[in-house]
Amino acid sequence: MDPTHPYFPDGLNMLNDDFDLSGLAETGAGPSGSGTTPTSRTKSKRLTSDVWQCFDVVEMTLPDGTVGPRAKCKFCPKNYTTTKGGTGHLRRHMLKCMPKHVHVPNTTQTQLQRHPDGSVTTWHYDAAHARECLARYIAQTDQPINFSDCVFFQEFIISAFCPQMQIVSRTTTRNDLIKMFKTQRDDLTAELQHLTVSIALTSDIWNACSKQDYLCVTGHYLDSECRIQTKILGFRPMDFAHTADNIFAVILSVLETYDITHRILSITLDNASANTKSIALFTERNIPQAGGYFFHQRCACHIINLVVQSGLKKVSNRIERIRDAISWIGSSNPRFQEFGRHCTLNGLRPRRFQTDMPVFYNATVTLSGVYYPTSSQAIHQIVEMSDMLNTYREDDLLGDAVVAMETKFKKYWSEMPFLYALGVIVDPRIKLAGLEYLLEFTGNKLSIDYSEQITDIRNKLFEVFSIYERRFGGIHTEPSLEPDTQPLPTSWSILKRRKKDKSASSSSSTTRSAASSGAELNRFLEAQFDADENTENFDLLLWWKTYSYRYPVLSHLARDILVIPVSTVSSEQAFSTSGRIIEPRRNCLTPEMVEVLICIRDWEHARKRMQNETVDEQFIQNFSNLYVDKGSGSNQVQN
């Protein structure tokens, strides 16, 4: 302890006094002059530690019946051995006991802190709060658990910010992280229990470099402000084969942890056969809500990838030659410099090229969104992809690839998912009439007959609404604020053409004839369709929050529909993070600690609405125009 420690005010600071146990044999007293007469066995020993400012050395009868020296606290009746184990035990007692009995005057200058609202208060160093902030920072930024052991980090904090900083060990930080995880998990459990809407899930499996497989389960729901929340619920090890039974067991264990097995509306999975088979096991347990109409969703981004890959196989020979040429140019600086001179001589701006570029980029990015509904965007992207396939079907270079892509497209989307259909039906600018037109447009481009599906979708819509009507029919809500705005789908121009090609009255009459119940749903569907209303920007979720008083039952259905993600990207983003946590140098982390770090990081990013920033930056960079500035040799990103 520092000799100037504040617990040693005037009158107690005796560090300059000399202590010598040899004097006890003659004087019969310890340093303070108290105690019994010591025996001749007492050895001469100089007491130099600062802990002796709080203890008297006295002769006492020991537990074995002999008499020997003991360290007796000056402030409480406790006494300790003085002959074994050093003074660590005495120091620990001193740090606990002295603050209770000694008034410590504040001799340091008062420090102030300014709050965001402009107010100013005094600041005091709080070791517990500092440890919590350190643990949170380690989880947020994928730092190693022993991050605070770095002497340069310690020097940086102590010298520049907080001289009072108390260094903590790796074990202490680990315990702080576990405590934080359990606290935040309990808070999340309580939040999920008080939801008035259902919960949608996404799940995927990842293979770590540590030869350990993990299954991630992510929950999607609306908070009290009608904002989409996306949070990882579990990141569990898969210590066995990826069978339907095992996948079901791991996901179910996560749901039971939060006690939400009765609140699950849907689960979005990739196209693995084991995932598809696991759905039957959930159905047997009566887990799906809303009649199970939305429970199993296939990842739209995986389907887009399958469509693209089928086309790339047809042009693989040409692609390989292009890839080899790009790799050859970029394999050495002299070659790339020569390529740059060649471009300049031919009046071209030299740039770098990636060997692999994502295809259908806009659709993939749009359907990978985090904080806006993607179920309402799916059909719009399908319409635009169908239009693109139709445009390039007769192209001399791409024709074969487009035909292969079209075949794969029809395999998955010749029968339109019910979720995608409802995603546009609950858009007050589109409704059922607009859906019919979008499907008709897509069918004409790809020779698909959606007419029977439109009838089936209409019937299912009223069946699902009747389920919600029985559950929420007695609920009444008050009007809210006017809705905000969000960007309009680029396919909106197709809907604007509808007025010229087809009248809205025929679709409305068809809706009335098909409906035998559901006055509220009929009232919504029969409202005048106007593609020009709020076409610049529109916030669909906030619109339903605003008009929930007008459509109390349908608003619950709409918000449940809009919260369901159509891709598993939110779970796959966790794998990108996991790759930074379970790197080759840190592959000894236990699966339990991996889940702690992954969940805390995700929950902290969710608190700041920063989860969309975890999208793979390389994926976006591949589509940047990386031109090389003339004469500089450096890269510039041109938007």
Side-chain angles (χ1 to χ4, degrees):
M1 176 174 286
D2 192 322
T4 60
H5 192 282
Y7 287 149
F8 297 142
D10 294 341
L12 284 179
N13 192 342
M14 300 179 291
L15 285 178
N16 294 326
D17 295 347
D18 291 333
F19 295 90
D20 193 342
L21 289 182
S22 61
L24 294 176
E26 289 79 20
T27 62
S32 62
S34 62
T36 58
T37 302
T39 65
S40 60
R41 292 179 300 164
T42 304
K43 296 181 179 180
S44 174
K45 185 176 180 180
R46 197 168 185 80
L47 303 180
T48 58
S49 175
D50 55 354
V51 300
W52 296 109
Q53 298 176 94
C54 307
F55 292 91
D56 288 332
V57 178
V58 298
E59 288 288 329
M60 302 180 66
T61 302
L62 304 179
D64 60 1
T66 62
V67 177
R70 298 283 287 183
K72 184 178 183 302
C73 180
K74 296 181 178 180
F75 307 104
C76 72
K78 292 186 177 180
N79 60 84
Y80 299 89
T81 177
T82 62
T83 58
K84 296 181 180 180
T87 60
H89 60 307
L90 303 180
R91 185 178 302 280
R92 287 190 291 272
H93 175 80
M94 177 184 67
L95 294 177
K96 293 180 180 180
C97 186
M98 284 192 64
K100 301 177 182 179
H101 299 85
V102 179
H103 174 68
V104 182
N106 187 1
T107 59
T108 61
Q109 183 178 359
T110 301
Q111 300 184 48
L112 303 178
Q113 63 176 347
R114 183 181 297 275
H115 299 288
D117 60 0
S119 60
V120 177
T121 59
T122 57
W123 177 85
H124 301 283
Y125 175 73
D126 186 337
H129 179 67
R131 284 170 44 186
E132 179 183 349
C133 291
L134 174 64
R136 180 177 288 109
Y137 175 79
I138 287 175
Q140 288 172 334
T141 57
D142 310 322
Q143 301 296 335
I145 298 178
N146 62 351
F147 175 72
S148 63
D149 289 344
C150 175
V151 294
F152 300 106
F153 169 74
Q154 296 171 8
E155 181 180 5
F156 169 65
I157 296 298
I158 294 175
S159 300
F161 296 101
C162 183
Q164 304 100 317
M165 176 188 174
Q166 297 180 10
I167 307 303
V168 295
S169 66
R170 180 185 187 279
T171 301
T172 300
T173 302
R174 179 183 181 276
N175 293 336
D176 290 341
L177 285 165
I178 294 175
K179 179 181 178 181
M180 181 182 299
F181 166 72
K182 292 180 177 179
T183 300
Q184 293 191 13
R185 186 180 61 184
D186 291 343
D187 293 341
L188 179 56
T189 300
E191 180 183 4
L192 296 178
Q193 294 302 313
H194 290 86
L195 292 179
T196 59
V197 294
S198 300
I199 302 170
L201 303 178
T202 58
S203 181
D204 208 350
I205 298 176
W206 177 64
N207 308 108
C209 65
S210 59
K211 308 302 180 183
Q212 172 71 63
D213 296 344
Y214 289 88
L215 185 146
C216 179
V217 178
T218 306
H220 308 258
Y221 59 94
L222 292 181
D223 61 17
S224 58
E225 299 179 5
C226 214
R227 299 183 306 172
I228 293 180
Q229 296 288 347
T230 299
K231 295 183 180 179
I232 294 177
L233 303 181
F235 198 86
R236 304 291 172 82
M238 290 283 289
D239 297 325
F240 23 71
H242 301 175
T243 63
D245 289 333
N246 294 333
I247 293 172
F248 166 75
V250 175
I251 295 177
L252 183 63
S253 68
V254 173
L255 302 183
E256 291 175 343
T257 298
Y258 295 89
D259 191 22
I260 55 174
T261 54
H262 60 293
R263 306 182 67 93
I264 304 304
L265 178 66
S266 72
I267 179 168
T268 305
L269 306 165
D270 64 21
N271 297 310
S273 58
N275 285 333
T276 303
K277 294 178 181 178
S278 68
I279 296 300
L281 301 176
F282 286 99
T283 304
E284 292 175 2
R285 293 287 296 267
N286 296 320
I287 291 178
Q289 302 294 300
Y293 282 104
F294 316 106
F295 189 70
H296 182 205
Q297 299 299 324
R298 297 179 183 273
C299 176
C301 292
H302 279 85
I303 294 177
I304 293 175
N305 180 62
L306 293 174
V307 171
V308 171
Q309 293 301 323
S310 63
L312 293 179
K313 290 179 182 178
K314 293 295 183 179
V315 292
S316 59
N317 292 333
R318 281 171 281 177
I319 291 176
E320 286 300 327
R321 289 196 291 268
I322 296 173
R323 182 184 288 114
D324 291 342
I326 294 174
S327 299
W328 185 85
I329 292 173
S331 61
S332 70
N333 289 337
R335 290 176 184 173
F336 184 75
Q337 293 168 2
E338 182 63 28
F339 170 73
R341 286 191 291 269
H342 174 78
C343 292
T344 302
L345 290 174
N346 288 274
L348 301 174
R349 188 180 181 186
R351 59 161 292 178
R352 298 182 185 273
F353 294 90
Q354 302 291 334
T355 55
D356 295 284
M357 303 289 282
V359 184
F360 281 162
Y361 173 80
N362 289 335
T364 303
V365 171
T366 299
L367 299 182
S368 303
V370 177
Y371 297 129
Y372 59 84
T374 55
S375 56
S376 62
Q377 297 288 330
I379 284 187
H380 292 287
Q381 299 304 319
I382 289 175
V383 168
E384 293 176 17
M385 285 187 285
S386 67
D387 192 27
M388 186 180 299
L389 292 174
N390 178 71
T391 301
Y392 291 96
R393 186 184 294 114
E394 305 300 330
D395 188 90
D396 294 337
L397 293 176
L398 301 176
D400 292 341
V402 170
V403 170
M405 294 170 67
E406 191 174 319
T407 301
K408 186 68 71 173
F409 183 99
K410 291 180 179 179
K411 176 182 178 181
Y412 288 100
W413 286 328
S414 60
E415 183 176 346
M416 192 61 62
F418 185 42
L419 173 68
Y420 300 1
L422 260 62
V424 294
I425 290 176
V426 298
D427 189 327
R429 304 162 298 171
I430 303 177
K431 304 189 181 76
L432 191 56
L435 169 67
E436 292 182 21
Y437 189 77
L438 290 174
L439 293 184
E440 180 181 343
F441 180 90
T442 303
N444 292 336
K445 295 295 183 181
L446 301 180
S447 301
I448 302 175
D449 184 7
Y450 285 112
S451 57
E452 292 185 3
Q453 292 187 46
I454 293 175
T455 302
D456 184 57
I457 289 170
R458 185 186 302 113
N459 293 334
K460 287 182 178 178
L461 169 62
F462 280 89
E463 291 174 7
V464 172
F465 179 80
S466 65
I467 295 174
Y468 276 77
E469 194 171 33
R470 290 193 296 269
R471 182 178 178 185
F472 300 105
I475 296 178
H476 300 281
T477 57
E478 295 296 327
S480 183
L481 299 175
E482 288 300 315
D484 207 338
T485 58
Q486 94 176 17
L488 191 73
T490 56
S491 61
W492 197 259
S493 58
I494 298 172
L495 284 169
K496 287 186 176 181
R497 278 183 258 152
R498 173 185 170 275
K499 285 187 174 182
K500 300 178 182 180
D501 301 332
K502 192 174 184 179
S503 64
S505 59
S506 60
S507 298
S508 298
S509 61
T510 304
T511 301
R512 287 195 298 271
S513 62
S516 58
S517 62
E520 179 184 317
L521 177 57
N522 275 312
R523 189 170 68 253
F524 171 76
L525 295 175
E526 292 173 2
Q528 183 178 2
F529 174 77
D530 186 357
D532 295 325
E533 180 185 359
N534 297 325
T535 55
E536 294 300 325
N537 292 285
F538 193 72
D539 189 324
L540 192 51
L541 280 171
L542 193 53
W543 190 94
W544 279 107
K545 179 182 179 181
T546 303
Y547 292 100
S548 59
Y549 72 97
R550 184 178 299 175
Y551 307 108
V553 175
L554 190 57
S555 64
H556 279 279
L557 172 59
R559 284 181 282 185
D560 276 356
I561 293 299
L562 295 174
V563 81
I564 300 176
V566 298
S567 76
T568 61
V569 170
S570 56
S571 291
E572 293 179 1
Q573 286 177 355
F575 303 150
S576 177
T577 300
S578 306
R580 297 191 292 270
I581 292 177
I582 316 175
E583 58 179 348
R585 295 173 299 173
R586 304 173 66 196
N587 58 13
C588 60
L589 286 173
T590 64
E592 294 76 13
M593 199 63 205
V594 170
E595 181 177 37
V596 167
L597 293 171
I598 291 292
C599 288
I600 292 179
R601 185 189 191 280
D602 179 74
W603 297 340
E604 289 296 317
H605 279 72
R607 180 172 59 86
K608 293 182 175 293
R609 307 287 286 179
M610 294 173 55
Q611 290 161 306
N612 56 332
E613 297 180 8
T614 62
V615 178
D616 188 1
E617 295 180 359
Q618 186 65 34
F619 181 72
I620 298 176
Q621 185 183 20
N622 285 344
F623 257 73
S624 299
N625 295 319
L626 302 180
Y627 290 102
V628 180
D629 276 353
K630 297 178 181 179
S632 67
S634 61
N635 293 342
Q636 289 279 334
V637 177
Q638 302 293 328
N639 295 324

